[in-house]
Amino acid sequence: GRKTRLLKGLPATSTVEENTAAGVSVCDFNVTVSPLSSEGVAILPAIVNSNPLTEAFDIESKGGLEYRVVTTGNPVLDYETMPKSFDLQIFVEDTTGRTDLNVLTIRVTDKNEHPVFRGNMAIQTLTIYVLEGTRPERIYQVDAADPENAKLKYSLLPATVPFLITESGAIFSTKEFDYEKDPHCYFLNVTVTDLDGLNSTKTVNINIININDERPYFTTKQRIYRIPEEQSPGTIVANITAEDPDDEDSTSRLFYSIQSSDRYFSIHPSTGVLQVTGRINRDALPLRLHPNISLIVQVEDSPSSGHASEMEITIIIDDINDNAPECSPSAFRKEVNENTPPGTFLIDLRNYCKDIDVDPSNNQFNFTGLSGFGSNNFALDSTVSGRLVMTGTSDLENPANPRIEVYTLTVRVQDIAYPNYSNIIYIYIRIKPVNEFFPVFSTLSYIFNVSEITKVGSSIGRVHALDKDWPPPVITYSIVAGGGTRDYKNIFWISPTKGEVRILARLDYETTQKHIFTVQASDQEKFTTASVTVNVLEVNDEEPVCSPNFYSFQIPVSLAVGTNINGFRIECQDRDSDPRSFRYFINEGNENNHFTFSPSTGSNTSRLILASRFDYESGFDTSWIYNLRVYITDDNLLSVRDKTTYLIETGTVTLSIRVIPNPTTAITTTPAFTVVTRRENVYSASAWYVPFVVTLGSLLLLGLLGFLGFLLVTWVRTCCPPAGKGHRTPLIHFIFCVSSQTMTKLNTIFDGEARDPVTGRMYEFNTRSGARRWKKSNEPLQPVLAGQVTSSATDNSGQGTDRAEAASKKEPSEKRKELTAATKPATKPSADQDGLRLQRQKEESEGRRLSSAAPQGRN
C-alpha cells in the first residue's frame, strides 16, 4: 500500500523503569485514518520488529483509534542485565491500503534495589556447627551483592551473642564454647545495608557440638539365644543395650553395629534391637551342618573416630517341620501297550521322593489318595512303598473300555509329622496302541465313468478305506499298478490322504476306452488293495481334418457359372463322427457370394463351384483376389434342439483365388503350401532395462574402437615417421613405408637401372631388395646408405616387397655381407650434385607416379 502518516504521536521516545510490572503503559498514540476509509483500520497497529529482539512490550487498544504500548512482564525488565534501550517498529494499515511504519524508542531507567544474599544464605536458613572447645576463629563468610554495585554494610543482632561480623561480611566466634555450660544453639540475624539505607536480613543458626571422651559399655548380660528356623524378617531376637558416661544427664546417643559378616541378622543402629533380616533355613547349607551363628556386636558413641566396645553373642537355630515331601520329577510319564496284562508293575514312587527336613521326626512321609479318571485300573501296593501296579485291562478296541489313550492319575505324598505338609504327584499313563487290524476298502472294485473331455486335474472319484484300530490310524492311498499308457506313465493321481482320484493327462476314447489300475491303502504297517476301473465315455471332441487345408490358384474372369473351379475338391475325416455329418460353408472372404461347395452337407468330399459370374465392368466386383476361409462342422446329423446341447467341432480350410482378366492362355495351377510367419515385436514396460543396456553397450563398444584406432595411429607414427613436414607421405601408404624401410635396411646397393616408360626418365634399383630411385644427372652407379633412401624409393614399395621376400631366402652369411656393405659410408657426392638439388625436389613431386609405372619398367 501507500505509505502515509497514520500513526499520530510516533515516532517518539519514552522511558520505563526496570522491574516494572506487566500492563504498565509506556507510550500512547493515535491512528489517523483517511476520510474515505469506511471501516477504519484494516491491520491493527502491531510491533513488527524490535532492536534488540524482545517480547517485553505489546500494544493494547484504549478504545476507538487510541492505542498504548504496555509492558508484558515476560521478560521482566532489568537495567543491570538487559539492554538499556529498545527500538520498536510499529506498523498499521487502513482499509484504503495506506500504511505507516514508525519507531518508538523505549529507554530503561535504573532503580535502586535491595541488596541480595548469594550462596546458601540466598536459598535457605544457614546452619553452622561449632565443636565445643574450639578457639575463637572465623566460622563463615557472608556473600551479598548490590544490584547497583554500591558498597554494603554488614551488622549482626542480637549484640549480646558471642559472635561478631566484619565490614567484609566474615562472622567470627569470640569465645571458646563449653557444651555443658553454654547454650547449645544460637540464632543470629545478619543484615546487609546499601548507601541509601535499603537492607536485607537473613537468619543464621549456630549449633554447638558435644565432644565425647568416654568409652560406652554394654548393660545386657545374656550371650546365648535360641530361635526356630524360618522366622519372618523383622522378628526380634534380642535387645542389646549400652550406656555412655558422657551422657549421664540425657539419653545416650549410641550407635550399634554387627562387625562380623552375617546375612541372617541386623541390629538397629540407634536402639540396639537385634532382628531377623534374611531367611534362616536350617535344612540348607551351611546351617544344615553348623546350626550355631556367632555375632560380634559393637557400640560406639560416634559414627566415626569415636569410642567403641564389642561383645560376642551366639544364636542357635532349631529345626522345624517346614518342608513338604518333594518328588523329582513331580510328574511321571509312563507308556504301556494296550495289551499289557493286569498285575504289571509300573513305577516305584519312593525312589523319586524325599523330605529335606534335618530332624528325623520331621522327614517321614507316606503315599495316599490314588485318584483320577480310570484309576480303578491301577493301585498302590501300600502307603509306605509307593509301588504303582496295573489292575485292569486297557484294550482300546474293547467296547467295554472308554477308549482312553492317556490316564491322568494323582497321588498325594504327605508328612507324618504335624502340620502334615503334602504334595501332589501327577502320573500320566499313556496307552500305546498296537496295530492289530488291516485297512479295509469299502468295496473291492471301484468303477468310474469319465467323459473323454474331462479337464486335466479334475477329480473323477474317490476311494475309501477303514481301519478298526483305535485311535484310527492315518491311512495313506497310492497307485501301485496300472494307470498308464504307452505315451504316459501315469495318467491318474490319487490323494495320499483323501483317496481322491484325479487325471493327469487328457483321456482319448478313440485311443483307449478303459483304464484299470490298482490302489493301495496303508496304515504304515499293514496294507490292502482294491481295483479301479475308469470307463472313458465318448464325446465329440475331434474336429474335422481336411486335405488340402490350404490351396492357391488362378481362374479366368470369364469362367462359366457352375464350373468346378480347376477341378478342386476337399476330402475330410473325423475320428469320432460319421462322414455324413459334415457341413461345408464359407465364413470369410466370399464377396458377392461367387463361390460355393457342392455338396454342402452329408458327404466327406465336396467340390468348389463358381456360383455366380464376375462383373467388373459395371463396378459390382472390385476385388481380384479372394481369400476364402471355409468351415467344416460335424453337426449335419443333429437336430436343431440337439445342436444347442451337443459339442460341435469345426475344421478350417484356407483358399486363395486370384481372378485373371481375359486370359489368353490356359493357366495351370499346381497345389502348393505357403508358410506364413508372423513376427511381432512387443515392448514390455517391465523390460525398460533392455534398450538402456543395448545403448550403454553400444557406447562402450564405440569408445573401445576409438581407443584402439588411436593406439594404431600412434604405433604407425612411431614405426614410420614422416620424411619431413614439407614432404609427408599419405597415410594410405604406411604399409609400403614399413616394407620399404625394412628392405632398405637389408640391401641399399643400387646395382641396376631402367627407363620409366611413362616419363622416359632413368631410375636405379636394387636387384635383390627392389629399392628404387631416380637416377641423378652425371652420377655414376654407386652404393648408397640406408639413411639416404629417397622418398620415391619409399613410395614404390610394391616391387620392393616382392624382392624382399626373395632376399629373405638368402643364407645367413650372405645377409651378414650385405649388412656390412650397407654400413660402409657412401662416397662423397660430387660438386655437380649440389647444383641438381633444386631439380631433385621437383623430381620427388613426381615420385607418386613411379609406383604405378614401376612394374612396367621392370619388364
Side-chain angles (χ1 to χ4, degrees), residues 268-344:
H268 194 280
S270 300
T271 64
V273 174
L274 183 66
Q275 58 187 4
V276 177
T277 56
R279 183 189 178 192
I280 304 175
N281 188 2
R282 174 71 172 80
D283 310 308
L285 294 175
L287 295 180
R288 189 177 184 89
L289 301 177
H290 305 286
N292 298 337
I293 301 174
S294 295
L295 302 177
I296 304 297
V297 180
Q298 175 180 284
V299 60
E300 55 184 339
D301 55 10
S302 176
S304 60
S305 67
H307 302 281
S309 297
E310 293 181 350
M311 176 182 68
E312 181 179 4
I313 63 174
T314 301
I315 303 174
I316 301 174
I317 308 300
D318 294 330
D319 182 50
I320 63 173
N321 184 19
D322 61 333
N323 292 290
E326 293 184 356
C327 299
S328 180
S330 60
F332 296 87
R333 290 172 173 80
K334 187 70 175 178
E335 186 176 77
V336 297
N337 291 333
E338 63 174 315
N339 52 6
T340 301
T344 302

Side-chain angles (χ1 to χ4, degrees), residues 55-105:
E55 296 181 357
F57 304 98
D58 198 3
I59 297 178
E60 291 183 353
S61 174
K62 296 174 60 178
L65 299 178
E66 296 183 358
Y67 300 89
R68 64 177 182 176
V69 178
V70 297
T71 57
T72 62
N74 184 24
V76 177
L77 298 174
D78 186 8
Y79 183 83
E80 287 74 25
T81 60
M82 295 178 62
K84 308 299 187 294
S85 176
F86 297 92
D87 293 331
L88 308 181
Q89 293 183 355
I90 300 176
F91 176 81
V92 68
E93 181 180 351
D94 63 8
T95 57
T96 63
R98 299 192 307 164
T99 62
D100 193 5
L101 178 67
N102 274 308
V103 177
L104 172 62
T105 301

Side-chain angles (χ1 to χ4, degrees), residues 525-669:
E525 293 183 11
K526 297 179 172 61
F527 64 88
T528 187
T529 60
S531 174
V532 178
T533 300
V534 178
N535 294 323
V536 181
L537 303 181
E538 184 181 12
V539 178
N540 183 22
D541 62 335
E542 299 285 345
E543 65 181 26
V545 177
C546 300
S547 177
N549 62 352
F550 177 82
Y551 200 79
S552 177
F553 46 82
Q554 300 176 352
I555 61 174
V557 68
S558 59
L559 187 66
V561 174
T563 302
N564 178 198
I565 299 176
N566 288 2
F568 174 79
R569 75 170 186 173
I570 57 176
E571 183 175 353
C572 302
Q573 295 180 354
D574 193 330
R575 298 175 60 188
D576 56 7
S577 297
D578 190 281
R580 296 174 299 167
S581 65
F582 294 145
R583 185 167 60 91
Y584 307 87
F585 60 93
I586 302 173
N587 187 58
E588 298 177 9
N590 192 11
E591 298 180 12
N592 298 330
N593 297 321
H594 287 300
F595 306 97
T596 186
F597 276 90
S598 177
S600 61
T601 59
S603 176
N604 66 333
T605 60
S606 182
R607 291 174 172 79
L608 180 63
I609 303 299
L610 181 65
S612 61
R613 56 182 294 273
F614 298 103
D615 186 2
Y616 292 98
E617 296 179 357
S618 64
F620 180 73
D621 290 322
T622 58
S623 177
W624 294 88
I625 298 176
Y626 294 85
N627 293 316
L628 307 183
R629 191 167 185 82
V630 184
Y631 284 1
I632 301 94
T633 61
D634 55 6
D635 60 348
N636 183 51
L637 300 180
L638 298 178
S639 63
V640 177
R641 180 180 179 182
D642 292 340
K643 289 182 179 180
T644 60
T645 58
Y646 278 67
L647 184 63
I648 301 173
E649 297 293 337
T650 303
T652 59
V653 173
T654 302
L655 301 179
S656 178
I657 302 174
R658 177 184 294 273
V659 180
I660 303 301
N662 298 323
T664 58
T665 59
I667 300 175
T668 59
T669 60

Side-chain angles (χ1 to χ4, degrees), residues 184-361:
H184 298 166
C185 184
Y186 296 90
F187 296 94
L188 308 180
N189 292 325
V190 178
T191 303
V192 57
T193 309
D194 64 5
L195 298 179
D196 294 334
L198 295 178
N199 61 72
S200 299
T201 301
K202 287 287 185 178
T203 300
V204 178
N205 297 336
I206 300 179
N207 294 330
I208 307 302
I209 304 301
N210 189 18
I211 298 177
N212 292 322
D213 53 0
E214 295 291 338
R215 185 182 301 276
Y217 61 92
F218 289 97
T219 58
T220 300
K221 303 303 180 182
Q222 185 178 353
R223 297 293 187 268
I224 299 176
Y225 300 88
R226 183 182 291 272
I227 63 171
E229 65 170 328
E230 298 295 350
Q231 295 298 307
S232 59
T235 301
I236 297 176
V237 179
N239 189 10
I240 308 300
T241 59
E243 292 184 0
D244 189 349
D246 291 329
D247 299 328
E248 293 180 356
D249 298 335
S250 61
T251 304
S252 297
R253 294 181 298 170
L254 302 176
F255 301 92
Y256 299 89
S257 61
I258 297 176
Q259 295 302 303
S260 58
S261 176
D262 186 76
R263 60 179 179 175
Y264 302 110
F265 304 97
S266 67
I267 191 169
H268 194 280
S270 300
T271 64
V273 174
L274 183 66
Q275 58 187 4
V276 177
T277 56
R279 183 189 178 192
I280 304 175
N281 188 2
R282 174 71 172 80
D283 310 308
L285 294 175
L287 295 180
R288 189 177 184 89
L289 301 177
H290 305 286
N292 298 337
I293 301 174
S294 295
L295 302 177
I296 304 297
V297 180
Q298 175 180 284
V299 60
E300 55 184 339
D301 55 10
S302 176
S304 60
S305 67
H307 302 281
S309 297
E310 293 181 350
M311 176 182 68
E312 181 179 4
I313 63 174
T314 301
I315 303 174
I316 301 174
I317 308 300
D318 294 330
D319 182 50
I320 63 173
N321 184 19
D322 61 333
N323 292 290
E326 293 184 356
C327 299
S328 180
S330 60
F332 296 87
R333 290 172 173 80
K334 187 70 175 178
E335 186 176 77
V336 297
N337 291 333
E338 63 174 315
N339 52 6
T340 301
T344 302
F345 165 74
L346 300 180
I347 189 170
D348 190 349
L349 299 176
R350 183 163 288 276
N351 294 335
Y352 303 95
C353 301
K354 64 179 180 178
D355 193 322
I356 64 173
D357 285 318
V358 176
D359 195 330
S361 63

Side-chain angles (χ1 to χ4, degrees), residues 825-843:
T827 57
K828 184 176 181 181
S830 61
D832 297 336
Q833 292 177 351
D834 295 335
L836 299 176
R837 289 180 180 177
L838 295 176
Q839 182 179 357
R840 187 183 302 117
Q841 294 179 358
K842 295 181 181 180
E843 294 172 352

Side-chain angles (χ1 to χ4, degrees), residues 35-48:
L36 300 178
S37 178
S38 59
E39 298 181 2
V41 179
I43 299 178
L44 296 176
I47 300 174
V48 296

